[in-house]
Amino acid sequence: MTYLAKPKFHHPSLPKNALGYTHRDYEGSISTLCAGCGHDSISAAIIEACFELAIEPHRVAKLSGIGCSSKTPTYFLGHSHGFNSVHGRMPSVLTGANLANRELIYLGVSGDGDSASIGFGQFAHAIRRGVDMVYVVENNGVYGLTKGQFSATADRGTKSKRGVMNNDSPIDMVGIALQLGATFVARSFSGDKAQLVPLIKAAISHRGAAFIDVLSPCIAFNNHAGSTKSFDYVREHNQAVNKLDYLLGRAPIAVDYAPGTLQVVEQHDGSKLVLRKLKDEYDVSDRVAAMNFLARHAAKGQVVTGLLYVDNEPEDLHLHLATVDRSLNSLGDADLCPGAATLEKINASLR
Amino acid sequence: MSVISPIRRVNDFVVRFANVNGSGSASANELFARAVLRMGVPVAPRNIFPSNIQGLPTWYEVRVSQAGHLGARGGVDLMVAMNPQTFDKDVASIEPGGYLLYDSTRPMPASRLRHDITTVGVPLTAICNAEYSDPRQRQLFKNIVYVGALSALLDMDMAEIERLIGEQFKGKDKLIQPNVHALQLGRSWVLENVSCPIGLTLARADAVGERIFLEGNAAAALGAVYGGATVCAWYPITPSSSVAEAFTRYCARHRIDPETGLHKYAIVQAEDELASIGMVIGAAWNGARAFTATSGPGISLMQEFIGLAYFAEIPAVIIDVQRAGPSTGMPTRTQQCDLLSCAYASHGDTKHVMVFPENPTESFAFAADAFDLADRLQTPIFVMLDLEIGMNHHLCAPLAWDDSRRYDRGKVMTAEELEAGRDFGRYLDVDGDGIPYRTYPGTHPTKGGFFTRGTSRDRYARYTEEGAPYVDNMQRLLKKFETAKAVLPRPVRRDAQRPAKAGIIYYGSTAPAMDEAIGMIEAEGQHLDMLRVRAFPFHQDVEDFIARHQTLFVVEQNRDGQMRTLLVNECGIDPARLIPILHYDGTPITARFIANAIGAHLDDLKVTPIRKIGA
Ligand SMILES: Cc1ncc(C[n+]2csc(CCOP(=O)(O)OP(=O)(O)O)c2C)c(N)n1
Ligand code: SF4
Ligand SMILES: [Mg+2]
């Protein structure tokens, strides 16, 4: 048996959240990824975010494609339904799942190969449609699972561990997400839990297409000198534009920052995104400025992180399709079948 | 030159309209077909069209048959030649003794006409130019004018045509009078200038009965509405697009919440077929009834996902409206050519359930049933239409629904059952039928959650890459396939009047031609039993039928005998026992073809000789 069960031992002193759940209730089975893989830190951040938000674990559906990153949904939220689909096609499966039941939280987990290479089209179209989801790309610039070939996010001029040069232009997932109308766009680093956890919380509470590109170094194949996706490189070139505090409910904000350095975005559910600006000119509600800012900094080799854009009046696919409030999967015969009398009328109209 | 007398027939002939694509002729042609129906005479119309929107030739053929033969017949008795580009070929295709109706505004030289047919020239353009100044009106009304001309030539009931126009423009009443006027223009010109009627005539009959006139694609879409589909994801492709379009139309009429105006359905035009099947799988995994409609090229793109749905045991309904392959070439021609690519779709050991409706009535019923079957069997179900069924109007039995029927959502474990401590193993065969229980996401806070993946898991959905659980699971899937046989539509047998040593196996859109062909074969003194296969995997009846006959013909519309291959493969039949009768030029199979092909074989087999039938 290769199944690794975690001992279900609940220490009485483990902290509980508002629903009475402990961290353990949000964990999954033990990770089989390489020790030190960035992806494991992201799983930990997801567990932390769900714990802090006091989400009922089974109200989350986890979906992924194929890759080391796409394996991670087994390692968190063990009580949730998960779907390890096919390579690059998680977005369509998630879209369909979301159509069936709008009441769950949809967490899509993918890799840079999964979303920028084979699944680039599906990624783009799910974002375009405004599917209400949290879409996390665990971005390491390589295909970890198939042993280190370049993915489409690898920067031009970087060398693989085996010394192969990448001459192709990189795809910037964040830039694409902004261009295609994602209503929540962020970038973070698996090594910066303090930044990542509030971003995931904010993304979960966002009612639209939320995209987070998380740089997540591959210890095995892309953590060497000359890689722009290594721990050292990302740490040295990280330019955070803001620091996010996520506030639940309608608690007043204690303002103790200099005027103009704080930006507060109130979301539909009343939650507040309190952003301490680290770059004076940065405005998270300005999509075009965000794209411009990113392009300028990318040209300097810098990795811009933080909450990059948020629309506090997002629209989503269900709104566009004008679907009923009840989940479609809860509708039965009485709601769906027009019945024999109607069919008789249809027959009559066809004579 | 032989003297051929003009064909004289009542309620039994073929009219073909040769038009230019995009000239607005479709609705006029359909008006003609419907008017014949309203006179109580069965018709079988067919579109023959290229994959262009404007400018290329298109034909509409109406077979009039009081005897009720609804398959294609072959040959044309009256050609309405409205396309100068194809004029010569169209004239050449008329049966000797047949008739030609053409626009004689510029009369054709005798060299381009034929002596063995009757030519009726009506100056359609001149009539329209004299009457209308707007070029668009001239073009559109020209179509109605020739219907008016036909009404006189064939002695049709004018009142029926006028009534149909009234129904067609109900709500846009201003259009009724001008259309009726155009009709009269053509009719009176012909009555004044041509001796009417010609040898082909229509006489009121009572041979239509309760039957309805409907396209298979619309019927399948309505079946999806009745079957409870709430999610439809699709990518446009001829000849399947009109399934999703009809589903959209029917949903707008029957699935809108009257209080809120909100939709009890979601339809997404996906970016490609990979995405459409992915959405269907995601929705079905999450407990909604979901389907896609596509054609062969789409099936090709969906292969990987279909395999996942098979292994992960996810209900999914795929309506495949088959057309000739490949993606370019003959996309608007009919064939039954996707059987193998659907039956064994994807990598790894996979087998899939297919149903084969014969006409729109069964397209409706099978599409609705497919959602029950998918939920019951937790696997993809292919509803195999083809262009012939899907994109043509067919005269068929009325659609039926039993209000006491309830959706069979299959084995779904509820929160209450989980709470009560019922053992849940996603891939555990508790009932011995190979079908396990599933749970919908979000059912219970701590029980019944599982991680869906293709294989590499045990009966409780726990990850494992060991061989024994893999084999165990694969064997269970086979058992489930076996279970399917009993719940799928049974084959339909029609025995000859006396004991027969030979049998015919056929399916789908071949049915009407087969029904007619067996009459021709019997008229020659041959007796064969027939079996119409309606589902794959095959019911035991199919194997029994094969075992009971010495000689077997498998009639289908593809080059490679795909149904025959499935019979050989799945039932272990000696290939030599199954004689393929194959029609695959893109036109629908005809009774003449079948009768001749089977007749030739019976000759060869030295069963009582049979002479060639028809031409
Ligand atoms: C259709 C298909 N092609 C190829 C593969 C092989 N494959 C598995 S994972 C993978 C790349 C994964 O890369 P990424 O998404 O970046 O994930 P990582 O392992 O780096 O986290 C590939 C090419 C596959 N599973 N399916
Ligand atoms: S190969 Fe790379 S991405 Fe995969 S688990 Fe190891 S470190 Fe992580
Ligand atoms: Mg990667």
Side-chain angles (χ1 to χ4, degrees):
Chain A
M1 184 80 81
T2 45
Y3 166 63
L4 300 170
K6 271 190 189 169
K8 281 268 182 271
F9 171 68
H10 281 214
H11 199 279
S13 65
L14 279 177
K16 289 181 174 162
N17 64 15
L19 288 178
Y21 290 114
T22 68
H23 270 89
R24 282 285 160 83
D25 295 308
Y26 295 91
E27 289 174 355
S29 50
I30 289 172
S31 170
T32 57
L33 301 184
C34 305
C37 173
H39 301 348
D40 279 335
S41 311
I42 302 173
S43 297
I46 291 170
I47 291 169
E48 181 63 31
C50 292
F51 170 79
E52 288 179 17
L53 284 175
I55 289 169
E56 289 190 282
H58 71 301
R59 304 308 295 171
V60 180
K62 322 165 279 186
L63 297 102
S64 62
I66 293 185
C68 296
S69 36
S70 292
K71 283 168 82 169
T72 64
T74 331
Y75 315 139
F76 56 81
L77 299 178
H79 293 309
S80 306
H81 276 68
F83 197 155
N84 198 181
S85 66
V86 291
H87 195 20
R89 319 294 173 201
M90 173 275 285
S92 64
V93 180
L94 189 153
T95 302
N98 180 296
L99 290 174
N101 183 359
R102 60 191 303 175
E103 287 165 12
L104 301 184
I105 292 162
Y106 293 90
L107 176 56
V109 176
S110 179
D112 43 314
D114 203 56
S115 281
S117 300
I118 191 169
F120 194 41
Q122 293 219 338
F123 158 75
H125 290 279
I127 297 286
R128 276 181 64 227
R129 290 190 183 99
V131 179
D132 181 8
M133 62 180 170
V134 179
Y135 193 128
V136 176
V137 166
E138 307 190 342
N139 187 353
N140 54 17
V142 289
Y143 297 167
L145 196 60
T146 52
K147 304 205 180 303
Q149 303 85 350
F150 280 121
S151 82
T153 65
D155 285 308
R156 175 180 267 168
T158 51
K159 261 198 186 143
S160 77
K161 202 175 171 185
R162 285 185 222 144
V164 179
M165 175 75 86
N166 173 44
N167 295 313
D168 302 341
S169 296
I171 291 174
D172 177 9
M173 304 290 282
V174 154
I176 300 288
L178 282 169
Q179 192 185 334
L180 295 177
T183 45
F184 180 108
V185 180
R187 177 149 53 211
S188 189
F189 172 40
S190 64
D192 188 352
K193 205 172 167 186
Q195 184 190 47
L196 182 54
V197 173
L199 284 174
I200 295 173
K201 286 163 71 179
I204 288 176
S205 63
H206 182 78
R207 293 276 74 101
F211 175 70
I212 312 179
D213 178 24
V214 188
L215 291 155
S216 177
C218 171
I219 290 292
F221 300 110
N222 204 12
N223 198 35
H224 50 278
S227 159
T228 58
K229 300 281 191 286
S230 67
F231 276 109
D232 288 346
Y233 185 92
V234 178
R235 260 194 213 105
E236 279 158 27
H237 296 80
N238 191 340
Q239 290 282 335
V241 291
N242 47 33
K243 185 179 176 311
L244 171 68
D245 280 319
Y246 175 83
L247 297 183
L248 254 182
R250 304 188 181 272
I253 304 153
V255 185
D256 56 357
Y257 300 107
T261 60
L262 204 68
Q263 189 173 6
V264 181
V265 179
E266 182 161 345
Q267 303 206 103
H268 240 93
D269 61 355
S271 63
K272 292 189 188 73
L273 310 180
V274 182
L275 292 148
R276 185 151 53 88
K277 292 191 180 187
L278 301 176
K279 292 266 175 258
D280 293 346
E281 77 273 32
Y282 204 86
D283 174 4
V284 284
S285 60
D286 188 337
R287 181 191 298 274
V288 176
M291 289 163 71
N292 199 326
F293 186 92
L294 282 163
R296 271 187 286 122
H297 286 75
K300 289 187 258 173
Q302 289 168 340
V303 182
V304 176
T305 62
L307 178 56
L308 304 174
Y309 173 72
V310 64
D311 178 348
N312 66 339
E313 295 284 341
E315 293 187 355
D316 89 318
L317 181 58
H318 278 283
L319 182 80
H320 297 152
L321 294 176
T323 46
V324 287
D325 293 336
R326 284 168 64 196
S327 65
L328 294 178
N329 72 352
S330 70
L331 304 177
D333 302 68
D335 296 296
L336 302 176
C337 185
T342 301
L343 196 57
E344 260 328 300
K345 280 187 206 142
I346 294 173
N347 279 328
S349 74
L350 299 170
R351 289 187 175 117
Chain B
M1 194 197 331
S2 61
V3 179
I4 291 178
S5 54
I7 301 172
R8 307 199 66 82
R9 259 189 258 135
V10 183
N11 292 353
D12 179 22
F13 50 86
V14 173
V15 183
R16 188 182 263 214
F17 299 85
N19 299 102
V20 175
N21 212 356
S23 62
S25 55
S27 63
N29 297 346
E30 202 182 307
L31 175 69
F32 169 78
R34 284 180 183 278
V36 179
L37 267 188
R38 287 292 176 92
M39 290 179 68
V41 182
V43 293
R46 284 183 176 77
N47 290 294
I48 304 146
F49 58 96
S51 65
N52 285 47
I53 301 302
Q54 203 166 17
L56 274 176
T58 153
W59 293 269
Y60 185 76
E61 182 178 292
V62 181
R63 180 173 186 188
V64 177
S65 168
Q66 182 167 352
H69 297 312
L70 302 177
R73 189 200 72 179
V76 178
D77 302 314
L78 166 57
M79 176 67 72
V80 182
M82 300 301 296
N83 186 353
Q85 244 184 312
T86 58
F87 186 83
D88 294 334
K89 261 183 121 174
D90 290 334
V91 169
S93 70
I94 300 169
E95 300 273 295
Y99 301 82
L100 166 70
L101 169 63
Y102 85 106
D103 180 357
S104 60
T105 304
R106 282 215 250 123
M108 280 291 168
S111 61
R112 294 185 64 188
L113 299 171
R114 274 168 55 181
H115 297 288
D116 61 342
I117 60 171
T118 306
T119 299
V120 179
V122 182
L124 298 166
T125 303
I127 295 174
C128 290
N129 287 358
E131 191 71 20
Y132 309 104
S133 50
D134 172 22
R136 183 73 194 146
Q137 278 194 339
R138 283 178 175 174
Q139 174 56 50
L140 283 180
F141 282 124
K142 185 154 57 170
N143 302 319
I144 302 294
V145 172
Y146 70 63
V147 175
L150 284 175
S151 77
L153 294 171
L154 302 174
D155 195 18
M156 293 171 75
D157 187 339
M158 210 30 197
E160 292 292 6
I161 311 180
E162 289 181 13
R163 200 170 305 143
L164 276 168
I165 289 177
E167 288 170 23
Q168 188 185 341
F169 295 109
K170 205 170 156 195
K172 300 179 228 161
D173 292 15
K174 266 199 274 179
L175 294 175
I176 298 175
Q177 212 287 320
N179 274 282
V180 171
H181 179 68
L183 198 66
Q184 296 285 5
L185 282 177
R187 184 176 173 87
S188 38
W189 192 94
V190 169
L191 286 175
E192 277 163 36
N193 298 286
V194 184
S195 96
C196 290
I198 55 172
L200 308 175
T201 51
L202 284 159
R204 186 164 279 284
D206 190 15
V208 171
E210 284 299 287
R211 281 184 285 181
I212 57 169
F213 195 53
L214 174 66
E215 287 161 318
N217 283 353
L222 193 57
V225 173
Y226 272 74
T230 51
V231 175
C232 166
W234 66 294
Y235 188 76
I237 182 169
T238 306
S240 76
S241 298
S242 53
V243 176
E245 286 158 1
F247 184 71
T248 308
R249 248 186 356 262
Y250 286 124
C251 280
R253 236 172 276 158
H254 303 292
R255 283 282 194 78
I256 297 203
D257 183 57
E259 274 156 43
T260 59
L262 295 173
H263 301 177
K264 290 189 263 187
Y265 60 93
I267 301 168
V268 176
Q269 186 188 313
E271 61 270 28
D272 56 29
E273 286 88 348
L274 281 77
S276 44
I277 188 66
M279 289 178 200
V280 168
I281 288 171
W285 172 75
N286 211 2
R289 292 195 148 183
F291 79 100
T292 186
T294 188
S295 191
I299 297 288
S300 298
L301 285 180
M302 292 177 185
Q303 296 280 315
E304 186 184 16
F305 253 136
I306 292 168
L308 175 71
Y310 173 81
F311 286 112
E313 297 180 71
I314 294 169
V317 173
I318 300 162
I319 297 174
D320 177 13
V321 188
Q322 299 167 88
R323 64 184 216 184
S327 306
T328 55
M330 302 229 291
T332 54
R333 305 300 153 111
T334 196
Q335 267 186 10
Q336 298 174 313
C337 52
D338 295 343
L339 269 64
L340 291 174
S341 64
C342 290
Y344 303 121
S346 207
H347 55 282
D349 290 317
T350 55
K351 299 191 199 208
H352 305 288
V353 174
M354 300 185 284
V355 290
F356 307 103
E358 64 166 342
N359 63 10
T361 309
E362 279 192 351
S363 298
F364 170 81
F366 289 7
D369 292 349
F371 294 93
D372 280 358
L373 289 170
D375 274 343
R376 170 61 33 196
L377 298 168
Q378 297 178 23
T379 201
I381 307 287
F382 291 86
V383 184
M384 306 294 283
L385 274 69
D386 57 21
L387 184 146
E388 162 72 5
I389 299 175
M391 287 191 73
N392 292 315
H393 278 84
H394 296 260
L395 189 62
C396 56
L399 310 179
W401 190 260
D402 176 0
D403 277 336
S404 68
R405 170 175 174 171
R406 289 290 163 268
Y407 295 155
D408 175 5
R409 298 306 317 262
K411 299 185 190 179
V412 181
M413 213 175 272
T414 63
E416 294 70 40
E417 290 169 313
L418 291 165
E419 188 59 40
R422 203 169 156 192
D423 185 28
F424 174 67
R426 173 63 184 104
Y427 305 105
L428 189 65
D429 183 8
V430 278
D431 302 318
D433 56 3
I435 307 170
Y437 274 80
R438 62 177 184 141
T439 53
Y440 298 153
T443 298
H444 189 282
T446 54
K447 300 183 170 92
F450 68 95
F451 199 72
T452 303
R453 41 169 87 78
T455 50
S456 60
R457 27 71 171 168
D458 67 8
R459 293 172 175 187
Y460 286 86
R462 292 173 300 212
Y463 189 78
T464 173
E465 291 183 16
E466 281 173 31
Y470 180 86
V471 171
D472 174 63
N473 185 61
M474 294 301 279
Q475 288 302 120
R476 183 181 53 75
L477 287 172
L478 269 188
K479 191 193 280 177
K480 184 167 88 165
F481 201 61
E482 211 42 49
T483 298
K485 294 180 180 175
V487 298
L488 297 174
R490 271 179 89 144
V492 179
R493 225 175 83 190
R494 179 187 178 283
D495 284 345
Q497 274 136 0
R498 57 186 81 150
K501 284 187 185 154
I504 305 173
I505 293 172
Y506 64 107
Y507 58 98
S509 68
T510 301
M514 195 63 241
D515 291 343
E516 186 181 356
I518 196 69
M520 296 174 170
I521 294 169
E522 280 171 358
E524 297 297 320
Q526 294 289 348
H527 295 276
L528 286 86
D529 295 332
M530 306 203 295
L531 189 78
R532 180 162 68 86
V533 172
R534 301 200 297 171
F536 177 82
F538 302 115
H539 193 275
Q540 184 59 40
D541 288 0
V542 177
E543 291 189 47
D544 293 347
F545 184 85
I546 294 172
R548 218 176 309 114
H549 294 91
Q550 223 170 55
T551 308
L552 286 141
F553 298 98
V554 185
V555 184
E556 42 189 328
Q557 302 181 57
N558 58 61
R559 185 194 68 182
D560 293 339
Q562 299 192 18
M563 175 63 83
R564 180 174 170 274
T565 300
L566 291 176
L567 289 166
V568 167
N569 209 28
E570 297 292 324
C571 308
I573 310 292
D574 173 3
R577 299 200 52 219
L578 304 178
I579 302 169
I581 302 291
L582 305 170
H583 180 92
Y584 56 93
D585 67 0
T587 63
I589 196 167
T590 62
R592 288 181 193 179
F593 173 87
I594 299 172
N596 280 334
I598 290 182
H601 276 286
L602 292 175
D603 286 348
D604 288 352
L605 292 167
K606 300 263 182 296
V607 190
T608 332
I610 172 172
R611 77 176 154 75
K612 292 248 172 184
I613 297 160

